[in-house]
């Protein structure tokens, strides 16, 4: 009888041991599968998000040069008409992240900033130059720099950037939806993202 009970006990321990091993293996496999799904999702959103637009601007350029103890002034000026193609893009392949499989947490550590590309088509009107102050190539380079700087300020305040940010938020929300559905936690550095709307607070 004693041998029978001992044998039954050993058999039960063996069965529970095998079951525990199988359960652990299934759990580890499920966690690996979940992490692979998340990695694939991050890879899928790791693309270039581009929003394009057209901007026009009219700029007056003027330059004065003083001569003879500032008694005489030589002036050159022009009206500059600018038509520019603008691209606002986010390179989502630059998203930096870590995956903590033990705690089932995805941590985004860096979100790329918007890249603004401006391709201006510059036309000059009403050019007027003094004999002692002619237009030179340096003037055109300076005008182009001023044009790009002024347009960049205008673009940053436009709906073009807002539309690009909305597209960025939409891509990041896909990561949240997947992690949440798998029972994982999504964090941005030390901040836990608890809802889709929480993604919006990450984008300034």
């Amino acid at each position: 009888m004693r041998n029978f009970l001992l044998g039954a006990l050993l058999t039960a321990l063996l069965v529970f041991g095998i079951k525990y091993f199988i359960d652990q293996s299934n759990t580890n496999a499920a966690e690996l599968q979940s992490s692979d799904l998340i990695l694939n999702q991050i890879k899928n959103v790791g693309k270039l998000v581009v929003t394009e637009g057209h901007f026009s601007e009219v700029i007056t350029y003027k330059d004065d040069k003083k001569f003879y103890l500032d008694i005489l002034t030589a002036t050159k000026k022009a009206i500059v008409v600018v038509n520019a193609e603008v691209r606002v893009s986010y390179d989502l392949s630059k998203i930096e992240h870590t995956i903590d499989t033990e705690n089932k947490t995805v941590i985004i550590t860096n979100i790329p900033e918007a890249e603004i590309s401006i391709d201006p088509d510059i036309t000059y009107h009403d050019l007027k130059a003094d004999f002692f102050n002619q237009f030179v190539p340096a003037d055109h380079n300076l005008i182009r720099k001023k044009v790009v700087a002024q347009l960049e300020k205008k673009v940053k305040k436009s709906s073009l950037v807002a539309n690009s940010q909305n597209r960025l938020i939409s891509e990041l929300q896909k990561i949240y939806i997947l992690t949440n559905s798998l029972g994982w936690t999504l964090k941005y550095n030390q901040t836990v993202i608890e809802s889709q709307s929480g993604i919006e607070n990450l984008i300034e």
Side-chain angles (χ1 to χ4, degrees):
M1 185 66 178
R2 180 181 298 176
N3 291 337
F4 174 77
L5 291 175
L6 183 60
L9 179 60
L10 290 174
T11 302
L13 288 173
L14 182 62
V15 169
F16 282 118
I18 293 173
K19 185 177 184 301
Y20 176 79
F21 178 77
I22 293 173
D23 289 344
Q24 284 295 106
S25 298
N26 289 339
T27 299
N28 292 335
E31 288 178 357
L32 287 173
Q33 186 177 18
S34 296
S35 64
D36 286 343
L37 285 172
I38 293 168
L39 279 172
N40 286 334
Q41 182 64 64
I42 293 174
K43 183 179 179 180
N44 288 338
V45 302
K47 59 186 178 181
L48 190 65
V49 174
V50 179
T51 306
E52 297 180 328
H54 181 86
F55 286 79
S56 297
E57 193 77 28
V58 178
I59 297 172
T60 300
Y61 175 75
K62 183 178 180 182
D63 177 76
D64 294 323
K65 282 189 177 179
K66 302 290 185 178
F67 297 92
Y68 302 109
L69 301 177
D70 293 345
I71 296 174
L72 298 179
T73 301
T75 300
K76 59 185 172 188
K77 60 183 180 179
I79 296 175
V80 182
V81 178
V82 184
N83 289 290
E85 298 299 325
V86 178
R87 289 161 49 102
V88 179
S89 59
Y90 288 93
D91 186 354
L92 300 187
S93 66
K94 295 180 180 178
I95 289 178
E96 297 175 8
H97 67 279
T98 58
I99 294 182
D100 182 354
T101 53
E102 183 177 349
N103 296 303
K104 301 175 73 172
T105 302
V106 178
I107 306 169
I108 296 175
T109 56
N110 181 64
I111 298 172
E113 295 184 358
E115 299 174 6
I116 299 175
S117 174
I118 299 173
D119 182 22
D121 179 20
I122 300 173
T123 306
Y124 296 89
H125 296 271
D126 196 23
L127 273 74
K128 294 180 181 178
D130 192 279
F131 179 79
F132 295 103
N133 190 10
Q134 297 289 321
F135 279 95
V136 295
D139 289 304
H140 300 291
N141 292 334
L142 180 60
I143 289 171
R144 183 181 177 87
K145 287 181 180 179
K146 287 186 174 182
V147 163
V148 171
Q150 189 160 323
L151 281 174
E152 189 168 346
K153 290 180 181 179
K154 190 173 182 179
V155 170
K156 287 180 178 179
K157 296 179 180 178
S158 72
S159 60
L160 194 64
V161 170
N163 291 339
S164 297
Q165 288 177 342
N166 288 336
R167 293 184 62 188
L168 172 63
I169 289 168
S170 177
E171 294 298 324
L172 293 175
Q173 284 176 337
K174 293 177 183 178
I175 299 175
Y176 168 78
I177 291 170
L178 179 61
T179 54
N180 186 60
S181 67
L182 294 173
W184 284 51
T185 300
L186 178 63
K187 296 174 67 176
Y188 178 66
N189 290 322
Q190 300 302 317
T191 303
V192 176
I193 309 302
E194 298 180 343
S195 65
Q196 290 189 56
S197 59
I199 297 290
E200 299 175 13
N201 299 326
L202 305 181
I203 312 302
E204 298 180 356

